[in-house]
């Protein structure tokens, strides 16, 4: 079915090449391993706890090269504390990956908060030889327009990714493909 059978054959032999942040960020992520429907998790802290309880499975869903650094990592600025939900280090990309969990629709405040976290890690935590920090907003309702208009042009390493608690049905996949097709045509 591929228009590039040589690339498909190479992928089957070599595996996925991980060269940029775009190569490791999946959307949507399927959290079926939590064994919960969306109705049982209603606040971000419950989602975070559920993911930590199943950390090994969450790492597998994230992809290659992730190692866990911590949860609720504190950032102190002039006596005010801020907390990054989850911090990982990707040893393939050689960079920190900051994850902020969001329930519901993604807002400009969420994106600004992640931008702040990434900039802090760039100035205070990143070591010589590390690549730029990646910020990932995991949200149940991804808003591409909000991301497009909120992120500055120099914020190339902040991503929003949708998560789901179950693998979509065939009908849901068809609907999603139609929405994506329509948005690309616009």
């Amino acid at each position: 079915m591929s228009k590039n059978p040589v690339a498909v054959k190479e992928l089957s032999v070599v595996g996925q090449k991980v060269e940029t942040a775009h190569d490791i960020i999946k959307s949507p992520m399927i959290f079926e391993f939590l064994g919960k429907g969306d109705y049982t998790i209603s606040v971000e802290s419950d989602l975070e706890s559920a993911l930590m309880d199943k950390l090994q499975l969450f790492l597998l869903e994230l992809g290659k090269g992730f190692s866990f650094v911590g949860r609720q990592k504190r950032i102190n600025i002039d006596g005010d504390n801020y907390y990054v939900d989850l911090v990982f280090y990707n040893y393939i990309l050689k960079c920190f990956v900051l994850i902020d969990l969001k329930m519901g629709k993604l807002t400009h405040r969420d994106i600004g908060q992640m931008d702040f976290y990434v900039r802090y890690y760039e100035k205070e935590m990143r070591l010589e030889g590390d690549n730029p920090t990646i910020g990932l907003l995991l949200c149940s309702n991804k808003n591409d327009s909000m991301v497009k208009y909120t992120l500055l042009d120099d914020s190339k390493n902040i991503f929003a990714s949708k998560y789901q608690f179950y693998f979509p049905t065939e009908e849901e996949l068809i609907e999603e493909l139609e929405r994506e097709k329509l948005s690309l045509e616009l």
Side-chain angles (χ1 to χ4, degrees):
M1 298 288 293
S2 172
K3 292 185 179 10
N4 190 346
V6 174
V8 171
K9 185 174 182 182
E10 181 183 347
L11 182 64
S12 70
V13 174
V14 178
Q16 179 187 7
K17 291 181 183 177
V18 178
E19 297 169 347
T20 69
H22 284 283
D23 297 333
I24 64 167
I25 304 298
K26 295 175 10 180
S27 186
M29 291 189 188
I30 309 298
F31 294 164
E32 195 170 36
F33 58 84
L34 293 178
K36 302 173 186 282
D38 358 313
Y39 58 89
T40 59
I41 294 179
S42 58
V43 294
E44 293 152 10
S45 60
D46 290 346
L47 176 59
E48 181 184 324
S49 293
L51 290 172
M52 288 299 93
D53 289 345
K54 306 276 186 174
L55 182 58
Q56 180 180 5
L57 296 171
F58 182 48
L59 286 170
L60 290 173
E61 182 61 19
L62 283 173
K64 291 182 177 181
F66 285 91
S67 49
F68 180 68
V69 174
R71 70 188 280 198
Q72 293 301 312
K73 291 293 282 183
R74 184 171 58 92
I75 295 173
N76 184 285
I77 305 289
D78 295 332
D80 293 324
N81 293 319
Y82 304 91
Y83 298 90
V84 183
D85 289 341
L86 303 169
V87 177
F88 294 89
Y89 190 85
N90 188 288
Y91 60 84
I92 295 172
L93 293 176
K94 295 180 178 29
C95 67
F96 283 104
V97 179
L98 313 178
I99 297 179
D100 211 16
L101 304 168
K102 298 298 173 189
M103 304 297 285
K105 195 171 186 178
L106 186 64
T107 69
H108 65 285
R109 281 183 231 121
D110 301 328
I111 296 167
Q113 180 181 28
M114 179 54 75
D115 188 55
F116 161 66
Y117 293 160
V118 167
R119 289 173 190 271
Y120 177 86
Y121 264 72
E122 283 296 287
K123 291 185 187 300
E124 302 298 330
M125 305 300 287
R126 184 175 157 197
L127 300 175
E128 187 176 325
D130 281 350
N131 287 312
T133 301
I134 295 171
L136 175 59
L137 290 151
L138 276 178
C139 47
S140 60
N141 189 351
K142 183 179 169 188
N143 187 337
D144 289 323
S145 296
M146 184 61 65
V147 173
K148 176 181 172 183
Y149 292 115
T150 304
L151 280 177
L152 298 172
D153 289 337
D154 68 339
S155 300
K156 302 280 188 239
N157 282 350
I158 297 178
F159 302 89
S161 181
K162 182 177 179 177
Y163 65 82
Q164 297 172 211
F165 290 107
Y166 60 91
F167 197 75
T169 65
E170 184 176 349
E171 293 80 24
E172 290 170 326
L173 284 173
I174 291 169
E175 287 175 19
E176 182 67 25
L177 286 172
E178 289 300 320
R179 274 193 301 275
E180 287 293 319
K181 181 180 171 186
L182 183 61
S183 72
L184 289 174
E185 290 171 355
L186 296 174

